Amino acid sequence: MNSPILHFISPPVPYFIDCGKDFYRIGERHISRNQIGVFDLIVVTRGTLFLGEGNDQWRVDQGEACILRPDASHYGTETCKEETDIIWIHFHTFGAWDECSSMSDCLENQSSLIHKHKQTAYLNHSEVCSIFIPKYMKLTPKAMDILQQFFLLDLEPRSLRNWKRQNSFQLFMQHLDRQMAATTDAAAIHVAERVELFIRQNYTLTITNALLHKEMNYHPNYLAKCMLKVYGTTPIHYLQLYRIEQAKKLLIQTEWSVARIAEEVGFHHGSYFSSCFSQKEGISPLNYRKKFIRHA
């Protein structure tokens, strides 16, 4: 049975809250809880745990993991048949997220989820990406090694322990996301990441579909398809958004004219730059500068 997939839009990345260990004797089961408000990652390190969430049920064996939603009811479906040890990690996100039945569903709904993400004022990032994590998974030895780091930090002072656990959690999530990519449409993800990196490194140049075709050796339609799958936008639209993000920095950090900033970030006509900027930000470049700069 294919596992459902949790789809997170980042930034911000999901963040670590707390972790611990539990032990189940023979005949005990996981407690029933309703809408606990955080994601609950459960990793079985010995034995077997039987879990349910809504109408879904899982048998989680040693070396396997399951992520329970913050907004659902979960419960033990059976008692443990042997002594069972688990690691639990609570985490959450400020960003938009969803649960999909398959990767194709996640990619199909990606644009609407990104739009929902950006509707929140403090999450209005242009450069967002998707994180895909299976709800039920067999963990690799590397993933298990990262998890063990959480408890090797117990002797650290609290101030250092919290920072290091956050870092370990980000490494763990990154590993799961990369593993997910390796087992799905890896070719599309690889191509989209190449296009995105090329744009970031060359956004001041004249970038066209013809140039991307020459640099990537793929037809522009295929490049657009890959970018839409992974980033929810076409290469040329991504280029425009990235240029505007760089222009916003220059409007605040320099006293350059709007025309010069437009040229610096790759727009050949100041009027077209102002039009694109206003359409995206809902405010002209000059008014954007005035909004953040207060002269004495």
Side-chain angles (χ1 to χ4, degrees):
M1 181 183 71
N2 292 330
S3 170
I5 299 167
L6 293 170
H7 181 187
F8 300 91
I9 302 298
S10 171
V13 294
Y15 58 91
F16 168 82
I17 296 176
D18 198 6
C19 66
K21 296 181 178 181
D22 274 334
F23 167 70
Y24 295 86
R25 297 178 178 85
I26 296 173
E28 294 182 335
R29 70 172 68 200
H30 188 67
I31 61 174
S32 298
R33 295 187 293 181
N34 183 45
Q35 298 184 357
I36 64 174
V38 294
F39 291 94
D40 190 4
L41 167 67
I42 296 176
V43 180
V44 175
T45 56
R46 182 172 67 110
T48 299
L49 191 65
F50 300 90
L51 292 172
E53 180 185 82
N55 295 323
D56 297 322
Q57 297 184 1
W58 299 276
R59 172 191 170 124
V60 189
D61 292 318
Q62 180 177 333
E64 297 179 344
C66 186
I67 300 177
L68 302 172
R69 295 169 57 126
D71 58 350
S73 300
H74 56 261
Y75 50 91
T77 59
E78 297 182 34
T79 59
C80 292
K81 308 302 186 289
E82 58 185 314
E83 292 185 342
T84 298
D85 292 309
I86 71 165
I87 291 172
W88 57 266
I89 296 176
H90 289 167
F91 68 94
H92 214 344
T93 180
F94 288 113
W97 67 275
D98 197 6
E99 180 180 331
C100 312
S101 59
S102 66
M103 179 60 86
S104 60
D105 285 344
C106 285
L107 296 174
E108 184 177 337
N109 297 331
Q110 183 168 229
S111 295
S112 60
L113 191 60
I114 289 174
H115 178 72
K116 175 183 175 183
H117 184 83
K118 292 185 175 183
Q119 290 299 105
T120 306
Y122 60 89
L123 297 178
N124 188 23
H125 303 286
S126 286
E127 295 182 68
V128 298
C129 64
S130 291
I131 299 172
F132 301 108
I133 308 292
K135 277 178 66 71
Y136 171 78
M137 69 205 91
K138 176 72 175 179
L139 295 178
T140 65
K142 181 177 179 180
M144 294 298 292
D145 287 343
I146 295 173
L147 283 178
Q148 293 303 327
Q149 298 301 314
F150 281 85
F151 301 99
L152 295 177
L153 297 171
D154 282 346
L155 298 180
E156 295 273 9
R158 179 183 295 179
S159 57
L160 292 177
R161 183 170 68 245
N162 290 343
W163 281 107
K164 290 183 177 181
R165 279 184 172 166
Q166 190 70 245
N167 183 57
S168 293
F169 176 72
Q170 303 300 343
L171 289 174
F172 179 74
M173 295 293 280
Q174 182 184 42
H175 178 74
L176 296 184
D177 178 58
R178 292 293 87 186
Q179 284 294 115
M180 190 81 215
T183 59
T184 54
D185 197 348
I189 293 171
H190 176 69
V191 170
E193 288 179 343
R194 283 183 60 201
V195 173
E196 191 262 352
L197 183 60
F198 179 81
I199 289 173
R200 287 169 60 90
Q201 293 176 338
N202 300 279
Y203 69 94
T204 60
L205 305 179
T206 301
I207 297 179
T208 62
N209 282 323
L211 176 62
L212 291 174
H213 183 193
K214 178 182 177 181
E215 292 291 332
M216 304 295 154
N217 202 28
Y218 287 107
H219 192 278
N221 288 346
Y222 180 68
L223 296 178
K225 182 179 178 181
C226 292
M227 284 290 287
L228 281 166
K229 272 189 173 183
V230 180
Y231 295 106
T233 186
T234 64
I236 300 305
H237 189 230
Y238 182 87
L239 169 65
Q240 183 183 101
L241 295 178
Y242 189 75
R243 283 172 168 168
I244 290 173
E245 285 303 302
Q246 305 315 302
K248 285 162 65 176
K249 296 174 185 177
L250 294 176
L251 284 166
I252 295 173
Q253 297 170 1
T254 74
E255 296 183 355
W256 295 348
S257 67
V258 170
R260 179 179 176 182
I261 289 174
E263 184 178 352
E264 289 286 338
V265 300
F267 284 92
H268 294 300
H269 303 286
S271 59
Y272 180 61
F273 163 68
S274 295
S275 174
C276 292
F277 190 100
S278 299
Q279 185 176 10
K280 179 187 176 297
E281 298 297 325
I283 190 173
S284 70
L286 280 179
N287 285 333
Y288 180 88
R289 171 177 275 166
K290 292 175 183 176
K291 179 179 176 182
F292 290 98
I293 304 293
R294 295 289 183 267
H295 296 287

